[in-house]
Amino acid sequence: MSHCSELKLLNGLGVQVVVVVSLFGTNVAQIVASASDAYYLNDTNSLDKRQLGIVFGALMQLSVLLPTLRHFRFINIFGLVGTTYTAWYIVVAAAMHGIAPNAGQRTATSMRNFYNGFAVIMSAFGGHANAIEIMDSMFVPEGYTRVYGWSFLYIFSLTLPHSTAVQLAWPDQALHNGNVYGILPLTLAKQLSIYLMLVHQLIAFCLYSAPLYYMCEKALRVHTKPIYIRVLARLPVSLSVAAFAVAFPFYGTINAVVASITSPLVAFAFPAAAYSWLHRTTARQQACVRPPPRWVGGKQLQQIQGLSLTMPYDSIHIELRHVSSNMDNNNSCLHTHLNHMS
C-alpha cells in the first residue's frame, strides 16, 4: 500500500471516529436533556434528574425498532412543530419579562466561555439542518442543495431569536443555568412546550442514533438481514448510550466537551478539507459539478478553511483544561441535590 493510500485510510478512520463520538455524545445529551426538561414540569417532583434519566433512557430503546429514517417522516414534522412552538414561546416570554439593565453590554467572562459559545453556535448551524436525514430521505438528489439551503435558513429563524431574547431578558440566570426551563415561570404554555420538546428529543435520538446503528450493523455484517436480527446488533449501542447518560447526567459539561471536540471538525474542517482535496488540481476544478459561488474567491476560501482547521485544536485545548473542575463542581451539586431529596 502506498503512502498516499495509507494516509487516505487513516483520514477515513479518523473521520469515522470523530463522527461516532459526535453522534454518541449528542444522543447522551438527548437523554440528559429529556430528564432535565421533565424535572421542570412542576414544582414538586417525586423523581430526581438521574431517575428521570433512567426512565427516558429506557424509552429511547424504542429507536432500535425503526428500520430506516424514511419510516418516520410524519413524526419528524411533528417534532419540528414542537421546536418552532418552543422557540417562539421563549421569545414571547422574554419580551413580556423585558430587557435586563445593561444586558446588551455583557461579554464572555473567560476564553473558555467564549469557545463554548463558539462551539455551540457551530454545532447548531453546522449540524442541525441534518444532512444525514435529508440525504437518506430524499428521492430526488438533484434537489439536495435547495432543500439544505432552506433548512439552514429555518435553523437561523429557530435558534437566533429565542437565544438572543433569553440573553437579553435573563443574562445572569442564563449564565448559571444550563436549562432555560429553570428560568421561565411555570405556566401552561411552558408545560406544553416541555411535552413537545420531550417528543422532539425522542425524535432527535432516533435521528442521531440511526447512523450508529447502521455502522454497527455493517461491522457485524447483518445490515442485509431482517429487522429482528438487526435489532440485536443495535441494542448494545442504545444501551451503552443510556448507561453513559445515567452515569454522567451533566448536560452542560457533555454538550461543551462534545461540541468543542467534534463540532469544528464535523461541521467545518472535514468538509473544507475534503472539498480542497477533491478539487486540488486545475482539471478537477474545471470539471466541478457544482462550483463555489462567484462571490467566494480563492483567497477568501482559503482563509475560511484555515480558520476551520485551526479552531478544533484551540477549542479542545481550552475545554479539556477545565472539564475536570467542571465535573468536580457538577458532582458536588449532584451530591447536594441527592442529599436534599433524601
Side-chain angles (χ1 to χ4, degrees):
M1 181 181 293
S2 65
H3 176 72
C4 182
S5 299
E6 292 177 355
L7 181 60
K8 288 163 59 176
L9 178 62
L10 179 62
N11 288 338
L13 180 60
V15 171
Q16 292 180 19
V17 170
V18 173
V19 170
V20 167
V21 172
S22 175
L23 294 173
F24 188 93
T26 303
N27 284 326
V28 170
Q30 300 307 317
I31 297 177
V32 176
S34 297
S36 179
D37 291 351
Y39 184 79
Y40 292 108
L41 269 172
N42 51 63
D43 294 329
T44 57
N45 297 279
S46 58
L47 299 177
D48 60 34
K49 292 183 180 180
R50 177 162 280 169
Q51 293 171 330
L52 288 169
I54 296 175
V55 172
F56 284 101
L59 182 63
M60 298 299 184
Q61 303 308 305
L62 295 175
S63 63
V64 302
L65 302 176
L66 189 68
T68 69
L69 292 172
R70 294 173 181 168
H71 289 80
F72 73 123
R73 283 187 171 184
F74 176 77
I75 196 171
N76 191 27
I77 294 174
F78 184 81
L80 293 176
V81 171
T83 54
T84 303
Y85 167 83
T86 297
W88 290 104
Y89 150 69
I90 294 174
V91 171
V92 173
M96 294 176 63
H97 180 272
I99 299 176
N102 301 322
Q105 300 178 9
R106 309 295 174 89
T107 60
T109 56
S110 65
M111 287 297 294
R112 175 181 173 272
N113 289 338
F114 169 79
Y115 275 103
N116 276 351
F118 194 90
V120 170
I121 290 173
M122 285 195 292
S123 176
F125 297 132
H128 273 60
N130 213 332
I132 297 174
E133 194 274 340
I134 295 172
M135 292 175 67
D136 187 80
S137 299
M138 183 172 292
F139 294 97
V140 185
E142 294 81 3
Y144 172 78
T145 302
R146 174 175 51 83
V147 172
Y148 191 89
W150 282 111
S151 63
F152 197 83
L153 292 176
Y154 167 74
I155 295 302
F156 268 90
S157 69
L158 190 69
T159 56
L160 283 179
H162 86 274
S163 58
T164 302
V166 170
Q167 293 297 329
L168 291 176
W170 301 283
D172 295 325
Q173 297 92 322
L175 183 63
H176 302 288
N177 197 319
N179 192 328
V180 68
Y181 289 129
I183 302 173
L184 297 169
L186 183 61
T187 62
L188 182 61
K190 173 182 173 179
Q191 291 178 321
L192 176 60
S193 172
I194 292 176
Y195 284 121
L196 290 173
M197 286 305 297
L198 291 176
V199 175
H200 161 73
Q201 282 149 0
L202 173 61
I203 297 170
F205 187 92
C206 294
L207 279 173
Y208 290 112
S209 62
L212 294 177
Y213 295 159
Y214 299 157
M215 295 174 71
C216 187
E217 293 170 8
K218 197 70 178 289
L220 297 176
R221 299 183 179 181
V222 297
H223 55 289
T224 59
K225 303 295 183 180
I227 183 62
Y228 60 85
I229 295 179
R230 288 153 51 200
V231 164
L232 298 177
R234 296 177 175 191
L235 276 173
V237 177
S238 60
L239 289 173
S240 61
V241 171
F244 196 94
V246 173
F248 304 99
F250 313 122
Y251 180 79
T253 300
I254 292 173
N255 201 35
V257 171
V258 173
S260 64
I261 293 176
T262 64
S263 294
L265 293 170
V266 174
F268 294 94
F270 287 160
Y275 187 90
S276 299
W277 173 259
L278 182 63
H279 302 93
R280 63 188 182 277
T281 64
T282 303
R284 290 192 176 185
Q285 293 171 11
Q286 294 175 349
C288 181
V289 177
R290 189 179 296 277
R294 294 181 179 179
W295 55 269
V296 179
K299 183 176 180 180
Q300 290 85 346
L301 188 60
Q302 292 175 1
Q303 291 175 348
I304 294 174
Q305 292 170 351
L307 176 63
S308 66
L309 292 171
T310 57
M311 283 301 298
Y313 169 78
D314 296 333
S315 57
I316 292 170
H317 174 73
I318 292 177
E319 182 57 43
L320 292 184
R321 192 173 63 188
H322 291 82
V323 68
S324 178
S325 60
N326 271 356
M327 292 295 290
D328 291 340
N329 291 336
N330 283 327
N331 279 321
S332 176
C333 292
L334 178 64
H335 291 315
T336 301
H337 173 70
L338 292 177
N339 292 333
H340 175 72
M341 293 296 297
S342 60

